[in-house]
């Protein structure tokens, strides 16, 4: 297994155990994420994410944008190895691109319980490089456009995201 953890986020003590139990019970699942608590500048919780739990719902919403919290992921190492791991051509949105490739090989889920705390301060990479992330997400979609998640996706889903390049995030 491979667990993700960003340096400015925190995992709750039961996170890995809960995810390992889930993957051991659901052998068809290649990776699992969780929901999370959002933390403000003072590191106090102010909101909870609401990511879809079921593979079917995840796939449907992945057409528009990423449905996983990167820092919350636990993956089967064999699955990650089978797709070649993270693509070095994606410095931002590398997670979204990897999830699209992994979903070609099997199923994924999110635990409904928030098991991570995500720092949302002004210096986080996703805020400082928002346009680069939008551009990388579009490239990830283009690269994987013929895969099962994006195949036959309506053209406007690509244009919908393009607005992030035209209008400041």
């Amino acid at each position: 297994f491979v667990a993700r953890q960003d340096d400015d986020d925190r995992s709750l003590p039961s996170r890995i155990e809960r995810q390992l139990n889930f993957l051991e019970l659901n052998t068809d699942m290649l990776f699992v994420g969780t929901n999370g608590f959002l933390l403000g500048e003072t590191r106090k919780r102010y909101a909870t994410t609401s990511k879809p739990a079921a593979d079917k719902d995840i796939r449907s919403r992945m057409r528009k944008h990423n449905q996983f919290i990167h820092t919350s992921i636990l993956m089967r190492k064999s699955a990650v190895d089978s797709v070649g791991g993270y693509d070095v051509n994606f410095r931002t949105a590398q997670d979204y691109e990897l999830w699209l490739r992994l979903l070609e090989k099997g199923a994924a889920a999110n635990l409904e319980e928030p098991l991570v705390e995500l720092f949302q301060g002004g210096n986080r990479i996703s805020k400082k490089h928002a346009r680069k992330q939008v551009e990388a997400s579009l490239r990830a979609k283009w690269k994987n456009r013929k895969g099962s998640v994006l195949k036959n996706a309506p053209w406007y889903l690509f244009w919908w995201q393009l607005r992030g390049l035209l209008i400041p995030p």
Side-chain angles (χ1 to χ4, degrees):
F1 295 99
V2 177
R4 280 282 303 127
Q5 180 67 57
D6 291 334
D7 68 348
D8 58 350
D9 298 330
R10 297 185 285 222
S11 289
L12 300 184
S14 63
R15 175 194 154 203
I16 301 294
E17 179 182 8
R18 298 287 307 266
Q19 290 177 298
L20 278 172
N21 289 340
F22 178 86
L23 289 176
E24 286 173 356
L25 290 171
N26 298 279
T27 57
D28 61 322
M29 295 287 166
L30 300 182
F31 64 107
V32 61
T34 75
N35 275 295
F37 296 109
L38 302 181
L39 305 179
E41 289 286 349
T42 63
R43 296 229 174 238
K44 299 262 191 250
R45 294 177 183 173
Y46 68 88
T48 305
T49 64
S50 180
K51 299 292 184 185
D55 182 72
K56 178 184 171 192
D57 297 330
I58 289 167
R59 288 173 184 273
S60 172
R61 294 178 190 176
M62 283 288 284
R63 296 175 130 202
K64 200 168 188 182
H65 54 81
N66 195 348
Q67 294 300 308
F68 296 96
I69 299 170
H70 199 188
T71 200
S72 79
I73 295 294
L74 182 69
M75 309 175 264
R76 296 184 190 278
K77 187 177 183 309
S78 59
V80 177
D81 290 344
S82 77
V83 298
Y86 288 100
D87 185 333
V88 298
N89 296 309
F90 288 84
R91 300 269 305 147
T92 56
Q94 71 274 23
D95 54 335
Y96 182 50
E97 196 281 326
L98 178 59
W99 312 151
L100 289 171
R101 285 186 288 126
L102 281 170
L103 288 169
E104 291 303 306
K105 301 283 186 182
N110 280 307
L111 301 181
E112 291 180 354
E113 185 179 359
L115 294 171
V116 293
E117 294 180 323
L118 299 125
F119 180 60
Q120 300 294 295
N123 284 333
R124 69 186 192 280
I125 290 173
S126 59
K127 181 145 178 119
K128 291 194 308 190
H129 301 290
R131 281 196 167 154
K132 286 181 184 177
Q133 280 198 308
V134 170
E135 183 266 334
S137 293
L138 282 167
R139 285 191 307 112
K141 282 182 177 179
W142 185 254
K143 177 183 173 187
N144 295 284
R145 70 190 177 279
K146 295 180 181 174
S148 64
V149 173
L150 293 170
K151 188 175 185 176
N152 300 321
W155 61 269
Y156 62 81
L157 290 180
F158 290 85
W159 287 106
W160 174 87
Q161 196 164 19
L162 185 61
R163 82 195 190 322
L165 287 175
L166 304 173
I167 301 167

